[in-house]
């Protein structure tokens, strides 16, 4: 089962890389949808391994953009300041 993680972000440079790394550790496609950050969020997300998309600000709009571009069979929405625990992907796949 292919998983995609969509992370909406706006000025989350201090936290986004850790969120991206935690999602990527599960083997998921990671998409950060930036809503116009001015603090380097897109660059940090890309450096951590995310595919960065851009949209107008607004969490719902950003989530929609990410979901529309996600390639996974399952889409997980994650806040930019949240870190997924180790083993999250197999646990989710097993639950589904």
């Amino acid at each position: 089962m292919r998983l995609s993680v969509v992370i909406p972000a706006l000025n989350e440079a201090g936290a986004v890389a850790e969120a991206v790394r935690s999602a990527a550790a599960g083997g998921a496609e990671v998409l950060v949808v930036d809503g116009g950050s001015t603090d380097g969020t897109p660059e940090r997300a890309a450096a951590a391994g995310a595919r960065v998309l851009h949209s107008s600000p607004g969490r719902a709009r950003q989530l929609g953009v990410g979901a529309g571009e996600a390639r996974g069979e399952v889409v997980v929405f994650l806040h930019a300041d949240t870190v997924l625990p180790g083993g999250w992907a197999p646990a989710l796949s097993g639950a589904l």
Side-chain angles (χ1 to χ4, degrees):
M1 175 179 311
R2 184 162 167 105
L3 303 172
S4 294
V5 177
V6 175
I7 304 172
L10 180 62
N11 293 326
E12 294 284 354
V16 72
E18 193 172 351
V20 169
R21 285 191 291 271
S22 74
E29 169 191 40
V30 183
L31 302 131
V32 171
V33 185
D34 186 70
S37 296
T38 58
D39 68 347
T41 294
E43 294 80 10
R44 290 188 183 187
R51 184 170 135 211
V52 177
L53 306 171
H54 299 276
S55 80
S56 300
R59 185 172 294 144
R61 184 175 296 111
Q62 290 168 258
L63 291 173
V65 168
E69 291 291 322
R71 297 182 189 121
E73 298 167 280
V74 174
V75 178
V76 176
F77 297 112
L78 183 69
H79 285 272
D81 62 354
T82 303
V83 175
L84 292 166
W88 75 269
L92 178 61
S93 294
L96 295 172

